Amino acid sequence: MKITTVKMVTRAVCTCSLMFTSLWLAAQPAASRQHILVDVSHGQIFWFDPAVPTDKKADQVERIKYLNGELVKNATALNADVSYTKGKLTPATLSKTDVLFIHIPSAQYDADEVKAIQQYVQKGGALLLVMDADYWSTLEQANVNDILRPYNIQFGKDSPIEQSGGRAKASAVVSKDLSIPYHGARQLTGGTPFCYSIQSEEYPFASFTTVKNGGKIIAMGEGMVSLYMTSWEGVNNYQCSEFMGDAFRWLLK
């Protein structure tokens, strides 16, 4: 009789405890999601808003869907969402943005946009800015160096190393060495380098930096990893998703 009574009391206590825990959890505010904003308003070569009807060819449409899908996977794992901007970049546009993603633009950012992006970073915002070799977009077409100038990072001419294969070294950005695609790139100076051709570390093609008030920048002179190109010239296991996940994780901290 005593054992049964103890069991009944124990069950009652456990039930009350579970009910209290459930009510407490329900009362807690949901973790706020962070926001990744993709710029598609400056002649981007590869990224387009997948929600907008497009006149692109079928294979281009499939690529756009693939890119967005992979980006959303990375974002979701970090409790973030993804949106696209097709208009001018303004302080209002950037006010609710945690990461601004600019990928191979081929048009100029006007003076107001340059100022807005710089102010956004200086107030703690994060920027992922990707360029590539002149084949895709030149520095005359896209004045990205104007954006980066206050942070002592600058894109330069095309790298003399054209052989395929790259790697990201373990750093504040990536948690371990990663194999990433590379096939020609734009040289980059400044910041802390962390991505190289497998041929040499003489010409790094990606670097990162932090600025006052917590702003962060990753600049890349090669676009294949940010296009989630896991296969290239006989290699089929490039770690693109791992790289991008780590990059966004660092930017969103």
Side-chain angles (χ1 to χ4, degrees), residues 89 109-119 143 146-147:
L89 293 174
Y109 292 82
D110 68 30
D112 289 339
E113 290 179 304
V114 171
K115 182 178 180 181
I117 296 170
Q118 291 172 346
Q119 289 178 339
N143 56 330
D146 290 346
I147 297 171

Side-chain angles (χ1 to χ4, degrees), residues 147-181:
I147 297 171
L148 295 174
R149 190 161 286 114
Y151 315 110
N152 298 315
I153 296 177
Q154 292 285 273
F155 290 106
K157 60 184 180 180
D158 288 0
S159 171
I161 300 175
E162 296 183 355
Q163 293 92 332
S164 294
R167 65 190 183 96
K169 294 181 68 173
S171 62
V173 175
V174 293
S175 58
K176 61 181 180 181
D177 288 2
L178 296 173
S179 175
I180 60 175

Side-chain angles (χ1 to χ4, degrees), residues 82-134:
V82 178
S83 61
Y84 295 78
T85 177
K86 298 175 288 297
K88 183 172 178 176
L89 293 174
T90 66
T93 303
L94 299 173
S95 62
K96 297 182 180 180
T97 297
D98 296 292
V99 176
L100 174 62
F101 182 21
I102 298 176
H103 192 278
I104 314 184
S106 64
Q108 294 275 309
Y109 292 82
D110 68 30
D112 289 339
E113 290 179 304
V114 171
K115 182 178 180 181
I117 296 170
Q118 291 172 346
Q119 289 178 339
Y120 159 76
V121 172
Q122 288 157 5
K123 291 179 180 179
L127 172 65
L128 174 56
L129 176 50
V130 181
M131 286 293 285
D132 210 303
D134 274 347

Side-chain angles (χ1 to χ4, degrees), residues 5 14 38 40 42 54 59 64 66 92 94 103 110-111 115-116 128 137 161 163 179-180 188 223 238:
T5 302
C14 289
V38 184
V40 293
H42 292 82
T54 175
D59 60 338
I64 293 166
Y66 168 73
L94 299 173
H103 192 278
D110 68 30
K115 182 178 180 181
L128 174 56
S137 174
I161 300 175
Q163 293 92 332
S179 175
I180 60 175
L188 193 66
Y238 284 124

Side-chain angles (χ1 to χ4, degrees), residues 158-246:
D158 288 0
S159 171
I161 300 175
E162 296 183 355
Q163 293 92 332
S164 294
R167 65 190 183 96
K169 294 181 68 173
S171 62
V173 175
V174 293
S175 58
K176 61 181 180 181
D177 288 2
L178 296 173
S179 175
I180 60 175
Y182 172 97
H183 187 79
R186 184 176 294 285
Q187 294 182 49
L188 193 66
T189 58
T192 301
F194 73 111
C195 293
Y196 310 86
S197 161
I198 58 174
Q199 305 295 320
S200 170
E201 292 189 4
E202 186 177 357
Y203 303 100
F205 65 87
S207 66
F208 64 92
T209 192
T210 57
V211 302
K212 187 181 293 186
N213 295 327
K216 296 179 179 179
I217 297 171
I218 296 176
M220 303 191 68
E222 217 282 2
M224 294 175 76
V225 68
S226 48
L227 291 172
Y228 295 91
M229 293 180 64
T230 57
S231 299
W232 182 255
E233 293 194 346
V235 179
N236 299 308
N237 58 351
Y238 284 124
Q239 296 168 290
C240 299
S241 182
E242 294 91 331
F243 176 92
M244 294 296 287
D246 278 356

